[in-house]
Amino acid sequence: MTDLKKHFAVIGNPIHHSLSPQIHRTFAKETGFDIEYEAVLSPLDEFKNTIHKLIAQKLSGANVTLPFKKEAYELATTHSSHAKIAEAVNTLEFKDDQIIGHNTDGVGLVRDLEQNLNINLKSKKILLIGAGGAAEGVIYSLLEKEPSELTLTNRTIEKSHVIQNKMDVHAKSFDVNLNVIEIAKCPNQYFDLIINATSTSLNNSDLAINHKVFHKSSLAYDMTYGKETSFIREAQSQGSKTSDGLGMLVEQAAEAFFIWHHIKPKTKSLIESLRAL
Ligand code: NDP
């Protein structure tokens, strides 16, 4: 790469489905930046080499997606506070000899909920389903909004306990009641916000969750986008409002764009046009 244009990439495996190139090119066009942004498929055992090759090609930054967010955390030499707490990185900045790791998933989710869906999270009861990278990446941002209760559940319940132990100190300082419940034993009580952060819709399996967690006044939020999921169908059958994760995807990308270019791009019209597609 010899031109003065800044180069960026999204790295994952698989990566063909990624909307990140389209999103970042649109942001760049609208804010007057001339950038290159490509999707890079990294072999599963070659993430570190892939990144070092891209740095040698003078890449300025990269987004990182499934399944490399933990490896990106290990690779980064400096971490933002959100990346440090999540122990996962979805945005890398390459500056001098530093690899700076950020996590913008939590900011993306909260912005979509608050700004696009007009949900005030303070004092709400939230159920977060899943204990993978996505769930861990958003918990701190949810706690910062001071819900009254944040309940975690996951198929492998031990993973929820690990996250609870790690996050308890933050929950206490924000005065949030942080619980863990078993997915099959969800109590007969409803939540204001139910977030599906599992990968069930990617592997086409159903989520075994008590439908009583949904209520007419609940919002059921599925981090998956681009397909109708059984989680959304179940929530709708109970009269809940629903949303997919497209807004989160665009908002987390906007935060990554801000980190790289120091300009916050507009997101609403892009979310609408991607949804129309
Ligand atoms: P991980 O692979 O790290 O975690 C997967 C999670 O799903 C685990 O908690 C796993 O449970 C659970 N799970 C998988 N299959 C089932 C099942 N059949 N029943 C119950 N639970 C199940 O994935 P990520 O956390 O990185 O991603 C999760 C989802 O979030 C993906 O669909 C991803 O596309 C989406 N996402 C969306 C974003 C957005 O911007 N909209 C951003 C980031 C992620 P267990 O621990 O028991 O295996």
Side-chain angles (χ1 to χ4, degrees):
M1 291 176 194
T2 50
D3 59 333
L4 293 173
K5 249 184 200 179
K6 283 194 172 182
H7 291 247
F8 299 88
V10 58
I11 297 128
N13 186 332
I15 200 62
H16 62 274
H17 65 287
S18 176
L19 293 173
S20 293
Q22 190 179 344
I23 294 172
H24 279 271
R25 286 177 201 146
T26 306
F27 286 160
K29 201 170 160 198
E30 284 178 2
T31 52
F33 283 92
D34 193 12
I35 64 160
E36 290 285 339
Y37 191 109
E38 59 179 317
V40 174
L41 177 74
S42 170
L44 289 174
D45 53 355
E46 285 286 321
F47 177 70
K48 198 172 166 186
N49 283 343
T50 306
I51 292 290
H52 283 299
K53 272 187 207 153
L54 293 171
I55 293 174
Q57 292 170 14
K58 304 279 179 251
L59 212 79
S60 299
N63 289 126
V64 180
T65 186
L66 223 80
F68 299 124
K69 290 183 186 180
K70 289 276 175 199
E71 276 185 76
Y73 174 80
E74 307 290 337
L75 194 63
T77 50
T78 315
H79 301 92
S80 70
S81 56
H82 280 224
K84 211 178 275 176
I85 290 167
E87 295 177 10
V89 157
N90 75 343
T91 303
L92 291 167
E93 252 184 304
F94 308 126
K95 256 193 190 167
D96 308 320
D97 286 341
Q98 294 285 308
I99 302 178
I100 308 167
H102 301 263
N103 193 315
T104 65
D105 281 340
V107 171
L109 171 67
V110 164
R111 259 188 216 150
D112 190 34
L113 289 167
E114 290 192 334
Q115 293 176 17
N116 302 329
L117 301 167
N118 296 319
I119 306 287
N120 179 358
L121 296 170
K122 192 167 168 70
S123 305
K124 294 290 190 309
K125 279 171 58 178
I126 303 177
L127 176 65
L128 179 61
I129 312 165
E136 203 162 0
V138 302
I139 287 178
Y140 186 73
S141 300
L142 291 171
L143 289 173
E144 279 182 313
K145 293 293 163 185
E146 301 178 18
S148 62
E149 205 176 301
L150 178 54
T151 301
L152 313 177
T153 190
N154 190 45
R155 180 178 57 181
T156 312
I157 197 70
E158 294 76 18
K159 287 197 205 164
S160 298
H161 283 295
V162 170
I163 298 180
Q164 185 190 30
N165 290 340
K166 206 170 83 174
M167 290 290 169
D168 231 9
V169 55
H170 302 295
K172 284 196 180 79
S173 65
F174 291 121
D175 199 19
V176 180
N177 187 6
L178 186 64
N179 310 308
V180 172
I181 54 173
E182 281 183 44
I183 201 162
K185 292 188 191 159
C186 273
N188 291 343
Q189 60 167 41
Y190 73 88
F191 292 83
D192 299 302
L193 172 65
I194 305 106
I195 302 169
N196 181 14
T198 71
S199 54
T200 40
S201 21
L202 289 181
N203 52 34
N204 289 320
S205 49
D206 283 343
L207 189 61
I209 186 109
N210 186 344
H211 66 262
K212 289 192 174 147
V213 299
F214 300 113
H215 184 264
K216 283 190 181 58
S217 60
S218 310
L219 172 71
Y221 189 100
D222 198 326
M223 286 194 189
T224 306
Y225 48 85
K227 55 160 94 169
E228 202 196 55
T229 64
S230 60
F231 171 80
I232 293 285
R233 275 195 301 274
E234 178 73 38
Q236 284 171 343
S237 75
Q238 301 304 316
S240 299
K241 296 179 282 298
T242 59
S243 174
D244 70 4
L246 184 65
M248 173 181 173
L249 177 79
V250 173
E251 295 296 347
Q252 64 74 30
E255 183 64 12
F257 192 89
F258 177 77
I259 288 166
W260 293 331
H261 308 287
H262 312 292
I263 280 191
K264 171 86 176 60
K266 291 203 173 71
T267 50
K268 278 199 176 161
S269 60
L270 180 57
I271 295 170
E272 278 161 24
S273 61
L274 288 172
R275 182 153 286 129
L277 285 176

